[in-house]
C-alpha cells in the first residue's frame, strides 16, 4: 500500500466514534425530532409547550424526547409538575446550521 494511502487509512475514525456518530445521525434524521431540536434552539420548552407547537399527542412527543435524551441531544429539568427541555449543547444546532447551509447551497 502506498504511504499516502496508509496515512489516510490510519486516520479514519475508530469504530466506537463511528458507531456513536451513526447513532447521532439516526436520532436527528426524523423530521419530528428535527422540529423539536429546532424549537429548542433558543428556548427551554416544557412538554406541554412542545405538544402545542408540534400538534402531537403527549405520548408521541414523549417518545421522541426519549430518543433525543438517550442520544444526549437534549437535557431536562423538572420545575414543579412540568419538565422543561433544552439542547444539551450548541453543537446540536451547529450540526443543523451546517446541514441547512449545505442543502441551500445545492439549490443554487
Amino acid at each position: 500500500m502506498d504511504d499516502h494511502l496508509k496515512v489516510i487509512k490510519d486516520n479514519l475514525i475508530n469504530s466506537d466514534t463511528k458507531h456513536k456518530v451513526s447513532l447521532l445521525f439516526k436520532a436527528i434524521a426524523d423530521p419530528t425530532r428535527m422540529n423539536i431540536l429546532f424549537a429548542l434552539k433558543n428556548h427551554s420548552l416544557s412538554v406541554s409547550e412542545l405538544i402545542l407547537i408540534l400538534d402531537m399527542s403527549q405520548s408521541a412527543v414523549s417518545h421522541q424526547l426519549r430518543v433525543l435524551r438517550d442520544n444526549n441531544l437534549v437535557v431536562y429539568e423538572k420545575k414543579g409538575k412540568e419538565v422543561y427541555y433544552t439542547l444539551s449543547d450548541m453543537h446540536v444546532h451547529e450540526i443543523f446550521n451546517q446541514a441547512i447551509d449545505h442543502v441551500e447551497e445545492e439549490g443554487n
Side-chain angles (χ1 to χ4, degrees), residues 8-96:
I8 293 169
K9 182 178 179 179
D10 291 344
N11 286 306
L12 293 175
I13 60 175
N14 66 50
S15 293
D16 185 50
T17 301
K18 190 174 9 183
H19 178 70
K20 288 177 182 177
V21 171
S22 174
L23 291 176
L24 169 73
F25 282 118
K26 286 178 186 175
I28 64 175
D30 179 86
T32 300
R33 292 191 289 266
M34 282 185 207
N35 278 337
I36 292 170
L37 293 170
F38 216 81
L40 296 173
K41 176 185 176 187
N42 295 313
H43 308 280
S44 175
L45 296 169
S46 70
V47 175
S48 300
E49 291 168 325
L50 286 167
I51 289 168
L52 292 172
I53 291 167
L54 300 170
D55 194 28
M56 293 175 64
S57 70
Q58 187 273 331
S59 61
V61 171
S62 293
H63 169 73
Q64 300 301 342
L65 287 167
R66 186 176 327 109
V67 172
L68 295 172
R69 268 193 331 266
D70 290 349
N71 285 279
N72 301 314
L73 295 168
V74 297
V75 292
Y76 69 94
E77 178 184 357
K78 282 191 167 192
K79 295 180 183 175
K81 292 183 179 182
E82 286 287 345
V83 178
Y84 286 83
Y85 284 84
T86 58
L87 296 180
S88 60
D89 60 45
M90 285 313 292
H91 289 114
V92 176
H93 202 70
E94 290 171 14
I95 292 167
F96 277 109

